Structure formats: structure tokens, C-alpha cells
């Protein structure tokens, strides 16, 4: 470790000053606040009291050891907590939501899961498990004061949304599972069908690289980024800036630890995940969203809607994994209609 004494002293002084300032502000703040007023919560040591910060609120997780970033946009009786995918990506690629949900009178909340983007990024790999992330969502729900809300999960966020609903659905008003099948095996089986789109030369090269396990090679990454991902992740060119920004800011350590080296293999602890048999336990109104060109089989999304007692499905015929961009009108018309009817 490169220890810099001057930086350490400066950082320590800054921490002390910030802590002292925060205590002074709390002491000077009005005493008529309520426990549910997030800006004036006397127990809140992560957010400045009485200050407007564009709907941003830091929330303690893992029993207060770390903090995650959240942001409220819009206001209304319908409240939606948005779970981004990955694992290891932040909320950024879902920013298209801002162009549709608030205008429809829907109150939406982003949050960057622990280890991602604006939230704390610890190095402890024991944190990167599905059950631990589910408990984090519950901590975020409590921190935001949400109840009887709609949980939206896209891709890996859909995994977490299903798992959360199976454990904590008493808090849910509704559920949206966007572009995520009910098992890792189902996802992997369908995503690998996209390899059939490759030219014979590239298919041969990909097979050679995979046989060697050389997933960090330039040849492998080139085929992913130039041929396969444009066919199934997002079919418009250029890719939307929120998506490319999310790719730049992604935590690939988490992605590899839980998923693997690409969308075509699952070697991490996501391997073996399967909730097909438990879907009937989800009783809240649910919308499953799929797309014709998605790495998830749209037939799986329809099947999930049949297994969940109060579910319907929406298939975007022109869309892929990010059909909120490449089949935008179909996606948001269907999503908003569901949100307003729940």
C-alpha cells in the first residue's frame, strides 16, 4: 500500500470538519421535523439536513457499513423503484425512463447497487451474492420510506426483483420483470443462439478462442462488440450515450465474479440460479417484458407471465435487450399503461 502521510492528515481533518459541521447543522435545524422527512431526519448522518440536492439521497446498507446512491425524479401516487442490470452496471443506461415516467405522473427512484457507479465500491467479494443484494433492496426501501410500491427490474435487476418479490412481496403494489428469464440456464441457452448469426470465419475464430478459454483476447472482444452485442443488446447505431456511459463506468470485477467474461457464459455464482418453480408464489400484479431480438427468449417471458397468477406479458417486436431504446414507443406505452392500472 502506498501510504501518503500528508493525504492521510488532510483526509482526517476533512472528515473531522465535515462531522463537526454536520453536528452544528443538526443542532441549528428546526425541531419540528418528522421521522419520515428524509431531509430533516436527525438520525440521518449521510445527507445534509434541509438542503435540496436534486432528489439524491444516500442510504446506509449492510447494517450501516456502506452507503448507496438513490435519486427521486417526479412525484405522484405511483412510486417505482428501479433496479438496474449487470451485475456490475449502474443506473445510467436506464435514463430513458426520465423522458417518460415523470411526465406520466409517476414517481421514480433510481439507485446504484452497492459496488456500482455512485455508490460505495468495496473490495469484499463476499458481498456479491443475490441474497445479499435482496437484503440491500429492503434496506433501500426502508431508507426511502417506500411501501405499496412497484418494483422494476431490468436484466440482472429482474433477477433481484423476482427474488425480492419471493421474500418481501407484502411491500409491493406491483412488479415489472424486464428482459430477464427465470433461470440462468434459460438465459444462456437462448443467448448462445445468436452465435448462428456469425459468418463462417468469425464463428470458427470464436470457437477457437472459446476452446482456449482466451476470453480476454482482442479477437474475442472484437466479435462481442462488433457482431454479437449489436445484434442482441441494442440494435440502433450509434448506441445511446447513457448505455455507452454505463459501459465505461461498469464494475467488471463484480460482473466477472457473478456472471463471467461475457453474456455467453455463466461461470460465477449466478450459475445455477433458477426460480421457474417458484414463480406461482408471486401474487402481486406483474408485467414481464421481452423482445424479439433479446438475448432472453421472448417465449420465456410469455411463459413466466402464465406461471405468475396475476401477470401479463409485453413483447417488443422490434426490440432487443435494451428495447427501451430500440423499440421505445412500444416499451414505454406498455410499461406506463401497466403502471397506471396496478
Amino acid at each position: 500500500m502506498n501510504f501518503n502521510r500528508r493525504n492521510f492528515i488532510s483526509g482526517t481533518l476533512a472528515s473531522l470538519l465535515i462531522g463537526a459541521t454536520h453536528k452544528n447543522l443538526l443542532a441549528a435545524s428546526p425541531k419540528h421535523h418528522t421521522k419520515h422527512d428524509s431531509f430533516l431526519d436527525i438520525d440521518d448522518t449521510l445527507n445534509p439536513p434541509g438542503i435540496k440536492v436534486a432528489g439524491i439521497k444516500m442510504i446506509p446498507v449492510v447494517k450501516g457499513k456502506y452507503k448507496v446512491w438513490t435519486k427521486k425524479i417526479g412525484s405522484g401516487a405511483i412510486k417505482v423503484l428501479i433496479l438496474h442490470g449487470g451485475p456490475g452496471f449502474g443506473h445510467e443506461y436506464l435514463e430513458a425512463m426520465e423522458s417518460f415516467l415523470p411526465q406520466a405522473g409517476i414517481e421514480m427512484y433510481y439507485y446504484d447497487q452497492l459496488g456500482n457507479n455512485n455508490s460505495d465500491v468495496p473490495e469484499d467479494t463476499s458481498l456479491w451474492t443475490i441474497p445479499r443484494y435482496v437484503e440491500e433492496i429492503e434496506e433501500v426501501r426502508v431508507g426511502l420510506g417506500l411501501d405499496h410500491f412497484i418494483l422494476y427490474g431490468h436484466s440482472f435487476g429482474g433477477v433481484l426483483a423476482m427474488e425480492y418479490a419471493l421474500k418481501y412481496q407484502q411491500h409491493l403494489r406491483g412488479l415489472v420483470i424486464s428482459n430477464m428469464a427465470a433461470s440462468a440456464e434459460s438465459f444462456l441457452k437462448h443467448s448462445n443462439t445468436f452465435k448462428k448469426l456469425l459468418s463462417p470465419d468469425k464463428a470458427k475464430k470464436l470457437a477457437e478462442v472459446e476452446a482456449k478459454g482466451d476470453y480476454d483476447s482482442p479477437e474475442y472482444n472484437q466479435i462481442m462488440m462488433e457482431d454479437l452485442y449489436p445484434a442482441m443488446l441494442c440494435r440502433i447505431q450509434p448506441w445511446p450515450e447513457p448505455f455507452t456511459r454505463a459501459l465505461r463506468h461498469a464494475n467488471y470485477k463484480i460482473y466477472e465474479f457473478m456472471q463471467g467474461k461475457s453474456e455467453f457464459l455463466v461461470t460465477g455464482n449466478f450459475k445455477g440460479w433458477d426460480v421457474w418453480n417458484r414463480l406461482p408464489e408471486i401474487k402481486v400484479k406483474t408485467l414481464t417484458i421481452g423482445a424479439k431480438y433479446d438475448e432472453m427468449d421472448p417465449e420465456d417471458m410469455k411463459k413466466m407471465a402464465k406461471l405468475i397468477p396475476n401477470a401479463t406479458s409485453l413483447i417488443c417486436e422490434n426490440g432487443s435487450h435494451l428495447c427501451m431504446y430500440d423499440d421505445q414507443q412500444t416499451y414505454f406505452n406498455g410499461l406506463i399503461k401497466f403502471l397506471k392500472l396496478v
Side-chain angles (χ1 to χ4, degrees):
M1 178 181 293
N2 183 14
F3 181 80
N4 187 309
R5 184 174 181 269
R6 184 172 63 182
N7 288 348
F8 173 77
I9 294 173
S10 299
T12 302
L13 287 173
S15 297
L16 290 171
L17 287 170
I18 290 170
T21 302
H22 184 69
K23 289 178 181 177
N24 292 337
L25 283 169
L26 285 175
S29 64
K31 301 301 181 183
H32 60 268
H33 61 267
T34 66
K35 187 175 182 180
H36 297 291
D37 189 334
S38 62
F39 293 110
L40 295 175
D41 189 346
I42 198 166
D43 297 323
D44 188 349
T45 60
L46 298 179
N47 302 282
I51 303 300
K52 294 182 179 180
V53 287
I56 294 169
K57 183 178 182 182
M58 305 303 291
I59 293 179
V61 296
V62 193
K63 299 181 179 179
K65 189 174 183 180
Y66 304 109
K67 61 185 181 297
V68 296
W69 177 96
T70 70
K71 180 169 184 174
K72 173 190 172 185
I73 300 177
S75 61
I78 304 171
K79 305 178 190 301
V80 182
L81 178 61
I82 296 171
L83 305 181
H84 62 74
F89 285 66
H91 78 281
E92 296 164 298
Y93 76 93
L94 291 171
E95 287 175 353
M97 297 282 182
E98 297 172 38
S99 297
F100 296 90
L101 269 60
Q103 293 83 340
I106 296 165
E107 186 172 302
M108 55 176 279
Y109 294 82
Y110 291 131
Y111 106 82
D112 285 335
Q113 296 153 24
L114 186 64
N116 300 292
N117 205 34
N118 299 312
S119 295
D120 283 350
V121 185
E123 296 291 332
D124 183 1
T125 56
S126 69
L127 296 166
W128 316 136
T129 68
I130 292 172
R132 209 282 312 160
Y133 272 123
V134 170
E135 296 310 311
E136 176 179 302
I137 296 167
E138 176 61 6
E139 289 180 297
V140 168
R141 181 196 71 79
V142 172
L144 292 174
L146 294 175
D147 208 3
H148 199 55
F149 70 105
I150 298 169
L151 186 61
Y152 166 101
H154 176 263
S155 193
F156 177 69
V159 171
L160 300 180
M162 285 181 260
E163 291 282 359
Y164 182 89
L166 287 168
K167 186 170 184 180
Y168 291 109
Q169 65 181 301
Q170 69 269 24
H171 300 300
L172 295 180
R173 171 176 177 172
L175 179 69
V176 179
I177 305 166
S178 183
N179 307 86
M180 186 64 229
S183 74
E185 182 181 357
S186 297
F187 147 60
L188 200 57
K189 180 180 177 181
H190 189 68
S191 66
N192 275 280
T193 63
F194 282 85
K195 293 179 182 179
K196 298 176 182 177
L197 302 176
L198 294 172
S199 66
D201 288 347
K202 289 193 175 181
K204 180 181 178 182
K205 173 57 69 175
L206 180 61
E208 291 173 353
V209 172
E210 288 181 330
K212 296 177 184 176
D214 192 9
Y215 299 110
D216 291 320
S217 69
E219 293 89 351
Y220 186 78
N221 289 322
Q222 183 178 11
I223 293 172
M224 294 296 112
M225 298 304 294
E226 294 183 4
D227 297 281
L228 293 174
Y229 289 171
M232 67 183 204
L233 290 187
C234 188
R235 292 167 57 83
I236 55 175
Q237 292 294 331
W239 278 350
E241 189 277 339
F243 181 37
T244 58
R245 179 161 29 101
L247 290 172
R248 291 197 307 272
H249 295 166
N251 187 334
Y252 290 102
K253 289 182 180 179
I254 296 178
Y255 180 82
E256 291 183 18
F257 187 82
M258 298 189 73
Q259 162 89 14
K261 288 289 186 178
S262 79
E263 294 294 281
F264 294 92
L265 70 161
V266 178
T267 55
N269 60 22
F270 177 50
K271 186 176 183 179
W273 175 80
D274 189 328
V275 294
W276 278 110
N277 291 336
R278 298 195 64 195
L279 291 180
E281 298 174 34
I282 299 174
K283 307 299 183 183
V284 296
K285 290 183 180 179
T286 300
L287 174 68
T288 66
I289 306 178
K292 183 176 180 179
Y293 303 102
D294 190 8
E295 58 182 320
M296 307 296 162
D297 191 340
E299 294 303 315
D300 281 343
M301 305 309 298
K302 295 177 185 177
K303 179 181 176 183
M304 290 164 63
K306 291 178 181 178
L307 290 171
I308 298 172
N310 296 302
T312 57
S313 65
L314 169 67
I315 304 301
C316 299
E317 294 295 334
N318 296 312
S320 61
H321 197 54
L322 297 185
C323 44
M324 69 286 296
Y325 289 108
D326 53 21
D327 199 353
Q328 196 164 74
Q329 292 304 317
T330 302
Y331 189 92
F332 283 105
N333 286 344
L335 175 60
I336 291 172
K337 180 181 178 181
F338 171 79
L339 295 177
K340 290 190 170 185
L341 289 176
V342 174

